[in-house]
Structure formats: structure tokens, C-alpha cells
Amino acid sequence: MVRAFIFLMGVLNGEVCSFFSPSPFPQRLFDMVSKELQIFGTKIYDDDEGASSVFGTRQYWDEVYTGMGDFPKEEYSWYYGYSVIKPFLVDAVSKDSTILCPGIGNDPILLDLYGSGFHNVVAFDYSRYAIDRQKDLLAYQPHAKFELYEMDARQLDKSWTNKFDAILEKGALDAIFLSGGGNLEAAVQELDRVLKPGGVLISVSGVVPDELRKSLFQCYEWVRDGTSDLQAGCFVFQKPECSAE
């Protein structure tokens, strides 16, 4: 509860995150921006009633990304910028890795990743308006190949099992925690499924309780423990090489 309170206070200083809602429907083609930028999506249904905070509801994030919320709709770097994360990322992830970015929101980090030489990047958000914002941002790199999905963090594509070398999330798990109902556990289970054995998960988090995080990632190697970071912690977890599905 203390961390949640700190997070809510931090929102006033521009420290927020994004969240995903459930969808039982199969993946479908959502839009095509160019020959290089591919946009896919799934139909999303609301389940905001169980949230313990407005920051765990789709309505809140839809309002942010349509210009009716508390933050700029065009772009916003959640918690902190790429320069803080980059040293940990380049130390743990090779340039030819396939990276998944959950809860991308309107964060310009995809452009930062591309500029650093990470070109195999997939991102998703449960708000279709976040996808709209990303299309605007990615127009600055018209020849880059990006895949964007409107997708539920608790029900990722079945074909993604052991697909990704790395996962980079900024505040997504925090907001899923605030949505209540055991959603965080379900989302972490899905992220574990799509991460390759030996893969790395980088999590920027300031709300998930320490003991719950320890429980969720107890089988992972804690390459970096961000618990003592002054701002949101930057955690680096490595999945065991021999991990049971």
C-alpha cells in the first residue's frame, strides 16, 4: 500500500504506466500504415469494475491517449527515459534479439531502440488509441519494420511461445497490479510463456509490492535488483535456461 501511495503521488510528477484488458477474441488485422510498419489487433472488452485504482482501467488510458487525460497525448516517457534503461539493456541483450514491449502507450522508446540498433521489436497495448499514437511516432522512421498489436497482456498470441529473446516493460505490470483480480499473476505467466529460456525481462516498476515481485520471479535470476533505486526500480530478470512450460 505504501508503494501504491508513492506511485499515485508520483503520477502528479509524470510517473505513470499503461495497462491491458482481457479479450477472448482471435487476432485480426487492424490497420496497415505502410509496407514496413505492420499494425495488428484484437477486439478488447472492458473489465474496469475490479480495478483498485483508475490507473488500472482502460477508460483512464483511453482518455490520456485521446487528449482528455492528465498527460500529453502525443508522447510521454513513462517513469524515465531510455537513457536510464539503455546501459542495462545493451549489457543484457544483443542487437539481433527479438524484443517485446508490453504496454507501449505513447512512449517514444521504440524510436530509441531503433536508433540503438535494436530492429526486431514487437509492441502492444490494450488501448487502440495508444496504437494510434505509436503510428504517429513511428512515422519518423518510415522504413523501419515495427509490429504493433492491440492485445491483452493476459492472453497473448498462442504462436508466441518462446518467441522473444527479451521483454522490456515500463510500468505495465504496475498498472496491471492496480487493476486487481489476480491480473498481474496471469500477465506474468503469459510473459514467461513467450520469453525464451535464458531470455531477459527488464521491468521498470514502482508499484508492485516487493514480496509479490519476489514470488512472481522467484525462479528467475535477479541480474539487477532495482528495489533500492530512488525513482522507479529498474529490474533485470533472466529466465532459467531449462524452464518448464
Side-chain angles (χ1 to χ4, degrees):
M1 293 301 295
V2 173
R3 277 185 169 269
F5 175 75
I6 293 173
F7 168 73
L8 296 179
M9 294 298 292
V11 166
L12 300 178
N13 295 320
E15 300 171 4
V16 270
C17 41
S18 189
F19 165 68
F20 324 102
S21 178
S23 169
F25 293 90
Q27 182 177 303
R28 63 178 173 80
L29 182 64
F30 176 71
D31 191 11
M32 181 68 74
V33 176
S34 71
K35 292 182 179 179
E36 299 297 329
L37 174 60
Q38 301 176 62
I39 312 292
F40 299 87
T42 55
K43 189 173 183 179
I44 304 292
Y45 273 43
D46 293 308
D47 67 343
D48 289 351
E49 292 183 0
S52 61
S53 164
V54 295
F55 305 108
T57 67
R58 189 179 74 153
Q59 179 181 352
Y60 179 84
W61 297 109
D62 282 350
E63 290 177 355
V64 167
Y65 302 133
T66 54
M68 297 184 291
D70 302 321
F71 304 95
K73 76 169 187 176
E74 290 79 10
E75 66 174 81
Y76 193 88
S77 189
W78 306 113
Y79 281 132
Y80 40 70
Y82 178 66
S83 61
V84 177
I85 303 170
K86 183 178 178 180
F88 311 120
L89 180 69
V90 298
D91 186 54
V93 181
S94 63
K95 295 295 178 66
D96 60 350
S97 296
T98 301
I99 301 174
L100 177 66
C101 295
I104 191 62
N106 59 353
D107 197 309
I109 196 167
L110 294 185
L111 294 173
D112 295 321
L113 289 171
Y114 186 82
S116 292
F118 296 100
H119 295 171
N120 301 317
V121 182
V122 177
F124 71 86
D125 201 294
Y126 96 129
S127 172
R128 68 179 302 162
Y129 303 108
I131 301 301
D132 290 340
R133 300 291 73 77
Q134 283 298 323
K135 288 191 289 184
D136 295 338
L137 288 169
L138 298 180
Y140 290 101
Q141 287 287 355
H143 300 298
K145 181 175 284 188
F146 296 97
E147 288 185 15
L148 297 176
Y149 293 84
E150 185 185 355
M151 190 174 288
D152 173 10
R154 294 168 297 167
Q155 191 178 15
L156 301 179
D157 194 295
K158 296 298 183 184
S159 68
W160 283 6
T161 300
N162 295 335
K163 175 181 175 69
F164 298 99
D165 300 293
I167 296 174
L168 171 59
E169 72 90 14
K170 293 176 64 185
L173 295 183
D174 284 351
I176 295 175
F177 168 73
L178 292 174
S179 75
N183 293 327
L184 177 62
E185 290 84 346
V188 169
Q189 184 176 17
E190 276 294 86
L191 293 178
D192 176 75
R193 177 178 66 82
V194 303
L195 184 63
K196 292 179 180 179
V200 173
L201 191 155
I202 298 176
S203 173
V204 178
S205 172
V207 174
V208 175
D210 293 339
E211 291 305 314
L212 179 57
R213 180 183 291 106
K214 290 177 182 178
S215 174
L216 291 172
F217 296 102
Q218 60 180 324
C219 295
Y220 279 57
E221 178 186 351
W222 287 47
V223 178
R224 184 180 193 276
D225 185 349
T227 303
S228 299
D229 291 348
L230 294 178
Q231 205 173 11
C234 186
F235 298 83
V236 181
F237 307 111
Q238 185 170 25
K239 183 177 179 178
E241 288 286 354
C242 298
S243 179
E245 295 183 14

